[in-house]
Amino acid sequence: MFASLRLGAVLFFTFISQASAQGSLTNVTVDDASPSVRYLNGWSPGPSLYIQLDTSKLFNGTWHDTTHYTQDITTKEMHVNFTGVAVYLYAVIANQPSGKPFDAFADYKFLLDDVVVGEYRHEVEDTTDFFYNVPIYVNTTLPDKEHRFSVLIDSTEKPVLMLFDYLVYTTTQ
Ligand SMILES: *[C@@H]1O[C@H](CO)[C@@H](O)[C@H](O)[C@H]1NC(C)=O
Ligand SMILES: *[C@@H]1O[C@H](CO)[C@@H](O)[C@H](O)[C@H]1NC(C)=O
Ligand SMILES: *[C@@H]1O[C@H](CO)[C@@H](O)[C@H](O)[C@H]1NC(C)=O
Ligand SMILES: *[C@@H]1O[C@H](CO)[C@@H](O)[C@H](O)[C@H]1NC(C)=O
């Protein structure tokens, strides 16, 4: 009987310490319209002339878009600073088989604390559908500190379109 009480106590304290080691993880969503997103070199809130999205499928109904042309001198950039252990970036991916009336190729570079950590590419598919809520960059192994997250678009291969919807980060607070 004492043995099982002791086992129960051990299990109980194991449970408590695991719960506190994980802290309480909380997701924070940063909408594209949030003032904590910094856009550089030519982004605008949707809709644009050719791109009208289904706002019911977007986080809070909004998005930001940009097109980077191969001859552009400046890089299209967006930056978000956050403190946390994970980050998830969600975009809308466009398709446009003929390349008209807009370019829909995706090629984005991701940086954490100014170091390139990933890239997302998508060649247009044979459909005019938009793909919503696409997690284009996920990192769940960040050290728990302040991070500077950046997206850079600088392709010299062909024009790149980005439709940014929202970002989620996970805090231990
Ligand atoms: C945070 O959101 C991501 C996906 O958006 C999900 O996989 C993860 O489980 C969430 N974490 C918490 C603590 O809710
Ligand atoms: C993010 O932090 C960097 C310093 O690491 C700072 O230079 C930059 O202005 C900050 N950006 C935003 C959007 O607050
Ligand atoms: C959603 O958009 C409304 C304005 O349309 C704004 O007041 C609100 O703060 C936004 N919510 C989030 C979570 O971004
Ligand atoms: C996540 O971020 C860390 C720290 O910046 C980096 O070393 C690692 O390569 C990243 N992982 C992914 C999947 O991008």
Side-chain angles (χ1 to χ4, degrees):
M1 177 176 168
F2 287 120
S4 71
L5 268 180
R6 198 179 299 160
L7 178 62
V10 167
L11 288 178
F12 178 73
F13 287 110
T14 303
F15 171 74
I16 293 285
S17 61
Q18 277 178 359
S20 62
Q22 288 177 357
S24 49
L25 296 176
T26 309
N27 272 354
V28 178
T29 302
V30 179
D31 187 31
D32 68 285
S34 161
S36 53
V37 184
R38 192 160 161 243
Y39 296 100
L40 294 182
N41 303 326
W43 294 72
S44 45
S48 64
L49 185 56
Y50 295 114
I51 303 172
Q52 282 92 32
L53 299 180
D54 178 348
T55 56
S56 72
K57 294 179 177 165
L58 297 168
F59 179 78
N60 214 21
T62 59
W63 81 95
H64 263 69
D65 72 35
T66 193
T67 298
H68 184 267
Y69 297 97
T70 53
Q71 71 274 17
D72 286 354
I73 297 160
T74 56
T75 301
K76 300 288 190 290
E77 302 180 21
M78 80 171 237
H79 303 273
V80 181
N81 291 352
F82 67 91
T83 298
V85 294
V87 62
Y88 308 79
L89 182 70
Y90 293 90
V92 179
I93 297 301
N95 295 286
Q96 202 63 232
S98 65
K100 302 273 182 237
F102 62 86
D103 295 293
F105 175 57
D107 185 5
Y108 320 131
K109 292 191 181 101
F110 308 110
L111 287 79
L112 273 160
D113 307 315
D114 301 315
V115 175
V116 176
V117 288
E119 184 171 6
Y120 178 90
R121 288 171 60 94
H122 179 262
E123 299 283 351
V124 293
E125 295 177 39
D126 190 17
T127 170
T128 51
D129 289 355
F130 292 97
F131 303 151
Y132 292 84
N133 286 295
V134 179
I136 58 172
Y137 180 69
V138 172
N139 193 326
T140 56
T141 58
L142 296 175
D144 193 6
K145 64 178 184 76
E146 188 177 11
H147 297 284
R148 173 172 161 84
F149 179 68
S150 313
V151 179
L152 297 191
I153 309 174
D154 64 357
S155 174
T156 51
E157 188 183 329
K158 44 189 170 178
V160 171
L161 172 72
M162 182 159 178
L163 305 170
F164 167 54
D165 188 3
Y166 63 103
L167 174 150
V168 173
Y169 64 89
T170 309
T171 70
T172 54
Q173 309 310 304

